[in-house]
C-alpha cells in the first residue's frame, strides 16, 4: 500500500507540474504513474479488508470503503472549480499556472493518503506480531500461473463485475449531456442529478453492507442490485419520469451490488491468492471500462442516447445472466457462496471446535 500510495502521489505531482510548465506530455506521464498506483492501491485495500475482517463485518467494511471513495469523488467534483476560481483571484501568471497550483493542492490529499498507508502498515505489522499471524508458508507459494486453476465461479464474478460497472461508470461520465438534452435541465441541475448515484451510495453502501453481513446470501443481493439497475436504466431510457427517481434508485442498487460483490472473491480463492484474484478482477473491469467508454462515445455520436441506454441494458443483462449462472454453479457445488449469515456462523464455530480438538490431540 505504501509503494502504491507513493506512485499515486508522484503521479499527481507530475500531473500538476505538467500543468505548471504547460507540458501536456508531462501531464500524461503523471496520469500514467497515478493509474499504476491507484488501481493497485484498490487491490491492496481489498486484500487488507479481507485479511482484517473475513468472517466478521466484511460486507460493511467494503461498504464503508465505497462510501469514503464516493465522498472523495463528490467533494472533488464540487470543490475543484471553486478552488480554481479562488486561485485565479490571486492573479498568478496565466491560466495553466493557476491550474498547476490547484492540482498541486490536490496532491496534498495524496500525501495524506500516503500517511494513512504508513499508519496502516504499522498497525498491520503490529497485529501480525500480537496475533502471531503466519506469513505465507512454502507450500502456499503464490504463482501467477495459479490463475489457470481459478474456478469457474471466479470468472463468472469477473463477468458480473465488468458487465455491471461498464453500465454505471461510463453512463455517469456521459450523463450530464443526457439530462440536459432529454429533460432540458440547466448544466448545474443536470450535474446534481448526475452526482446522485455517488451521493446516495456514500450514505447507503455501509448500511447495505451491514444488512448483507446480517443476512448473508451475497449472490441474491448481487442479483437484486443488477435487476434494480436494469429497472433504473429502463426508466431513464423509455420514460420521461423525473430522472431524480431513476438516479436515486440506481444509487441504492449500486450500493447493494458493490457491497455484496467484492467480498465474494474471498470465499472463492485462498487468502494467499486474493491479491492476484482482485488484481485480475480489476484488470478485466478496467479493460471493459476503457473499451466501453470509447464505444459509448461512438454510439452517442452516431445513434444518440436511446440506443446508448439500450447498449447499457444489454451489458447489464450479461451481468445478470452471469449472476444467475454463478448462483446455479455454486448451488451445484454445495452453495458455499450464497450461505445465510446463520449458516456461515454455525460452520465457522464448528471449524473452530475441530481445530481446538486437533490442537488438544497434538
Ligand atoms: C474503480 C475501481 N476499479 C473499482 O472498481 N472500485 C469499486 C470498489 C472496489 C472495492 C472497494 N475497494 C467501486 O465501486 O468504486
Amino acid at each position: 500500500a505504501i509503494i502504491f500510495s507513493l506512485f499515486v502521489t508522484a503521479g499527481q505531482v507530475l500531473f500538476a507540474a505538467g500543468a505548471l510548465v504547460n507540458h501536456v506530455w508531462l501531464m500524461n506521464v503523471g496520469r500514467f504513474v497515478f493509474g499504476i498506483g491507484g488501481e493497485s492501491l484498490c487491490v491492496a485495500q481489498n486484500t487488507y479488508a479481507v485479511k482484517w475482517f473475513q468472517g466478521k463485518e466484511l460486507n460493511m467494511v467494503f461498504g464503508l470503503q465505497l462510501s469514503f471513495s464516493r465522498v472523495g469523488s463528490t467533494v472533488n467534483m464540487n470543490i475543484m472549480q471553486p478552488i480554481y476560481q479562488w486561485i485565479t483571484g490571486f492573479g498568478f501568471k496565466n491560466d495553466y499556472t493557476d491550474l498547476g497550483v490547484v492540482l498541486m493542492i490536490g496532491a496534498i490529499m495524496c500525501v495524506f493518503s500516503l500517511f494513512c498507508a504508513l499508519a496502516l502498515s504499522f498497525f498491520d505489522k503490529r497485529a501480525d506480531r500480537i496475533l502471531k499471524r503466519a506469513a505465507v508458508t512454502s507450500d502456499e507459494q503464490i504463482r501467477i500461473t495459479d490463475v489457470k486453476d481459478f474456478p469457474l465461479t471466479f470468472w463468472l464474478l469477473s463477468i458480473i463485475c465488468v458487465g455491471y460497472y461498464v453500465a454505471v461508470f461510463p453512463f455517469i461520465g456521459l450523463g450530464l449531456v443526457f439530462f440536459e438534452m432529454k429533460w432540458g435541465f440547466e448544466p448545474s441541475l443536470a450535474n446534481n442529478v448526475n452526482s446522485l448515484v455517488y451521493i446516495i451510495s456514500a450514505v447507503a453502501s455501509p448500511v447495505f453492507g451491514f444488512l448483507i453481513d446480517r443476512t448473508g446470501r451475497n449472490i441474491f443481493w448481487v442479483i437484486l442490485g443488477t435487476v434494480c439497475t436494469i429497472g433504473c436504466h429502463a426508466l431513464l431510457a423509455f420514460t420521461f419520469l423525473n430522472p431524480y427517481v431513476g438516479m436515486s434508485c440506481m444509487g441504492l442498487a449500486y450500493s447493494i451490488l458493490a457491497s455484496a460483490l467484492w467480498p465474494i472473491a474471498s470465499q472463492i480463492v485462498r487468502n494467499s491468492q486474493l491479491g492476484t484474484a482482485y488484481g485480475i478482477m480489476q484488470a478485466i473491469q478496467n479493460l471493459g471500462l476503457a473499451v466501453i467508454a470509447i464505444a459509448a462515445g461512438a454510439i452517442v455520436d452516431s445513434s444518440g442516447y436511446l440506443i446508448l441506454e439500450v447498449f447499457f441494458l444489454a451489458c447489464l443483462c450479461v451481468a445478470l445472466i452471469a449472476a444467475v449462472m454463478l448462483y446455479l454453479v455454486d448451488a451445484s457445488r454445495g452453495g458455499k457462496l450464497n450461505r445465510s449469515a446463520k449458516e456461515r456462523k454455525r460452520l465457522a464455530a464448528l471449524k473452530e471446535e475441530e481445530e481446538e480438538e486437533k490442537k488438544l490431540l497434538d
Side-chain angles (χ1 to χ4, degrees), residues 58-92:
L58 188 60
N59 298 287
M60 190 173 76
V61 168
F62 269 89
L64 274 169
Q65 283 186 14
L66 288 166
S67 171
F68 274 85
S69 308
R70 295 295 88 92
V71 169
S73 327
T74 312
V75 169
N76 179 53
M77 269 197 230
N78 291 293
I79 211 174
M80 288 320 268
Q81 183 77 8
I83 293 183
Y84 180 77
Q85 266 148 13
W86 180 64
I87 293 289
T88 47
F90 287 107
F92 284 109

Side-chain angles (χ1 to χ4, degrees), residues 5-86:
S5 296
L6 277 169
F7 267 100
V8 167
T9 310
Q12 179 66 18
V13 170
L14 285 174
F15 185 53
L20 273 175
V21 296
N22 200 22
H23 284 322
V24 174
W25 67 265
L26 188 55
M27 293 179 81
N28 285 333
V29 171
R31 292 310 283 166
F32 182 74
V33 176
F34 187 103
I36 294 175
E39 282 302 291
S40 315
L41 191 57
C42 199
V43 172
Q45 202 185 32
N46 296 345
T47 316
Y48 270 121
V50 174
K51 184 176 172 188
W52 280 66
F53 296 98
Q54 193 168 34
K56 295 173 206 123
E57 309 84 1
L58 188 60
N59 298 287
M60 190 173 76
V61 168
F62 269 89
L64 274 169
Q65 283 186 14
L66 288 166
S67 171
F68 274 85
S69 308
R70 295 295 88 92
V71 169
S73 327
T74 312
V75 169
N76 179 53
M77 269 197 230
N78 291 293
I79 211 174
M80 288 320 268
Q81 183 77 8
I83 293 183
Y84 180 77
Q85 266 148 13
W86 180 64

